[in-house]
Structure formats: C-alpha cells, structure tokens
Amino acid sequence: MIRLFGDRIDQRRRREAERAGGVLADCLATPLPDRATPAGQLPILAVDFETTGLDPAQDKLLSIGFVAVNGTEIDLGTAASFVINAHAEVGQSATVHGLTDDQLAAGCPLEEAVAATVTALSGRIMLAHFADVEENFLDAACRSLFGAGLPLASIDTMMLQQKIREDNNERGSIRLWGARERWGLPVYKAHEALTDALACAELYLAQLTELGEDTPLKKLLGWSH
C-alpha cells in the first residue's frame, strides 16, 4: 500500500467511510488533527504488530500492542496488548516474537483486537517504527472485518531517525533498538508488541528533543515518507 500524504488521506477516508461498518465507520468519521498542530500538542497512538511475516495477503497478525501519546507525555493508562487466536501455527516466526501455538490458541478473536485498535486510533495519528507493517496489516484486517480500508496518517520513527542521521552526518542503525541506543534509552526485551509500542513512543519523544516540539504535523508526516 502506498503511504498517503496531505489531503489524499482525508479524501480516501471519506470514500472508505461510505462503505465501512462497525467501529471502523466511527473511526473514519472522527477528524484527524489539523496538519498545523505542533508535535507538542498531537494526539498519537504508538502501535506495534507481531506477525508471521510481512505480507498481509499471506501472513497472519499474531499480536497487537498500543499506548497513547498526548503531546509529549506517554499515557500508560491507555496501554493495551492482545494475543490473537490466528488459527495458524507460528512456524519459524516464533524465533522473532517468541509466541507459541498454545498462546495463540488461548488468544482473543482477531475482530476483538482490531476493533480495540481502530477505536483507540480514532482522532489520533498512528506512530510506529517501519509503519508499513502496521498500516498494511491493519488495512487488510479492516477490509476483511468491516468492509472497508483504514487510510492512516502515520509518523514513522524509523524515517525520523533516518532524517536525524542525515542532518547530523551520522552513521549507525535506524532499527528500533539501534536507534534507541543513539538516545541512551534503556534496553527492553524486543518483539513483544506492547513493549515495542512503548519503546517506539519513547524513541519518538527523544527524537522530538532534536526536531522540536513546535514541529507541525505536516512536517512530521512529510519526513515519514
């Protein structure tokens, strides 16, 4: 899926809202923040998905974690995590996320996890590290469950790290845990969805110390392409 930008996001959201059902219709009817909103005032939801692969047409969504960021504060009271009964075996992907087939079998239905995520995204900008994964899997899940896609305005911390690295003529990793090292952020256990969402939120706030809290959303979205 091509990442949308500017007015194209609003135009596509209006088209998808005409055929969307359930919580997706409510989310699409909720306006996104104005593009002039400064970063220090943005309502954001940091999101992370664990999957069996990178192709939503073939691979399964296994777990979701998210936490809200209000301006420059992480609201831990909004944190949520779901392991999904994907009716599939984890296979080799278990070496990445550590989930087992037994954990998936005891998980919640896909609709419950996706509905909670869509509801939490209402009126918020999505934040993720390499946001293509979350955008593509969530769009595919919404089409399957609610009859329409979910065009998102996303800030991508990987792309922000790339910009900061280029601006400072630096080298070093732009992967989540490598990028966190640049800012002296603590090491967590990787590839647990909620932990990774929190790690992404912390990285974003660290990046804002250099990019500036007055940076408008329009610039953040542009740098995320």
Side-chain angles (χ1 to χ4, degrees):
M1 185 173 67
I2 298 174
R3 188 170 297 170
L4 300 176
F5 182 59
D7 293 340
R8 293 180 62 193
I9 297 173
D10 298 324
Q11 292 168 3
R12 193 180 150 202
R13 286 174 72 92
R14 285 194 290 271
R15 288 199 299 271
E16 297 291 348
E18 294 175 357
R19 54 178 179 268
V23 297
L24 179 60
D26 296 334
C27 178
L28 290 169
T30 304
L32 293 173
D34 188 274
R35 303 298 189 274
T37 306
Q41 299 177 19
L42 272 178
I44 285 173
L45 190 75
V47 178
D48 184 81
F49 290 176
E50 297 299 326
T51 67
T52 59
L54 298 177
D55 183 356
Q58 300 182 21
D59 297 311
K60 298 291 185 180
L61 178 54
L62 303 180
S63 67
I64 297 175
F66 60 75
V67 63
V69 181
N70 298 315
T72 59
E73 296 184 359
I74 299 172
D75 184 353
L76 293 177
T78 65
S81 179
F82 301 87
V83 174
I84 298 166
N85 187 343
H87 303 288
E89 295 182 352
V90 295
Q92 291 298 315
S93 68
T95 60
V96 176
H97 47 67
L99 292 168
T100 66
D101 291 338
D102 287 343
Q103 287 176 300
L104 294 188
C108 70
L110 175 65
E111 183 169 2
E112 178 181 335
V114 172
T117 307
V118 170
T119 298
L121 276 168
S122 294
R124 291 183 177 272
I125 301 298
M126 190 181 81
L127 176 73
H129 198 82
F130 188 44
D132 285 1
V133 172
E134 283 72 18
E135 286 187 356
N136 293 340
F137 272 87
L138 189 55
D139 187 76
C142 285
R143 290 182 184 282
S144 172
L145 295 168
F146 306 121
L150 177 55
L152 291 164
S154 301
I155 298 172
D156 191 329
T157 49
M158 187 178 78
M159 299 305 293
L160 295 185
Q161 193 68 26
Q162 174 73 14
K163 170 186 167 40
I164 290 168
R165 191 173 70 166
E166 291 175 356
D167 287 350
N168 292 286
N169 195 26
E170 295 177 354
R171 304 184 69 176
S173 175
I174 59 172
R175 296 172 70 90
L176 177 59
W177 301 99
R180 284 174 60 88
E181 285 183 15
R182 193 266 191 191
W183 304 96
L185 294 168
V187 176
Y188 300 145
K189 180 182 178 183
H191 297 301
E192 192 283 324
L194 179 55
T195 302
D196 283 5
L198 177 61
C200 177
E202 292 177 340
L203 173 61
Y204 168 71
L205 296 184
Q207 291 170 334
L208 280 190
T209 64
E210 185 156 326
L211 297 173
E213 295 178 16
D214 58 347
T215 302
L217 172 60
K218 182 177 181 179
K219 278 193 174 181
L220 293 171
L221 294 177
W223 292 334
S224 296
H225 276 241

